[in-house]
Amino acid sequence: MFDLVYNTIFFASYGNIFGLSHITLGPLDVLIAYIVAILVSVIVALVLRLPLLPSKPYRYSFDVSALYPTPIIAIGIFSIFLILNYTFIYNGIVLAAIIGILSALFVKYLFDFVFPKPLDEDGGEDIQ
C-alpha cells in the first residue's frame, strides 16, 4: 500500500507548471500542499459554523460537516489541478489554500443544491 501512495505522490509531482523540465515539485511539496488543503478546508468550515461531525446515527446521516465531505472535495479538486500541471505560486501551497477556502464555501452554501438529500421511502419527502 505504501508503494502505491509513494507512486501516486511521485507521479503527481513529476509534472510541473507548463511542462517545464527545470521547474519540478517534489513528493514532499505535493504532500505539504495536500495537508494545507485539508487543514484550510476544515478550519474555514469550522469558522462557517459547520458541525465537526454529522448528526447521529453517522452511518445514515446525510448532513454535511467539517470532516466530511469538505476535505474530500478539497483534495479532489486540488488533485485535478496537479494532474493538469497547474500549481500557481509557492509550489502549490497558495492554490491549496484557495481551494480549501472555496471547498468549505461550496459545502456550506451550495452542496445541498448540487447533491440533494434522498427522499424518504415512506412519505416521499426529504429526510431531515
Side-chain angles (χ1 to χ4, degrees), residues 10-28:
F10 176 74
F11 288 123
S13 66
Y14 185 71
N16 49 29
I17 186 166
F18 304 124
L20 301 173
S21 61
H22 63 280
I23 302 174
T24 60
L25 290 178
L28 186 63

Side-chain angles (χ1 to χ4, degrees), residues 43-116:
I43 291 170
V44 172
L46 289 174
V47 167
L48 292 173
R49 297 187 188 265
L50 279 173
L52 185 63
L53 294 172
S55 62
K56 291 186 180 182
Y58 299 129
R59 185 173 182 178
Y60 300 109
S61 177
F62 292 98
D63 297 335
V64 294
S65 65
L67 292 182
Y68 184 80
T70 310
I72 309 303
I73 291 173
I75 61 175
I77 294 172
F78 185 64
S79 297
I80 292 171
F81 278 97
L82 284 181
I83 295 301
L84 294 174
N85 293 331
Y86 184 74
T87 56
F88 198 48
I89 54 175
Y90 298 116
N91 293 335
I93 293 177
V94 173
L95 180 66
I98 291 170
I99 289 173
I101 292 168
L102 292 177
S103 68
L105 290 170
F106 171 76
V107 169
K108 173 70 176 181
Y109 297 111
L110 296 175
F111 189 80
D112 289 331
F113 294 113
V114 176
F115 304 107

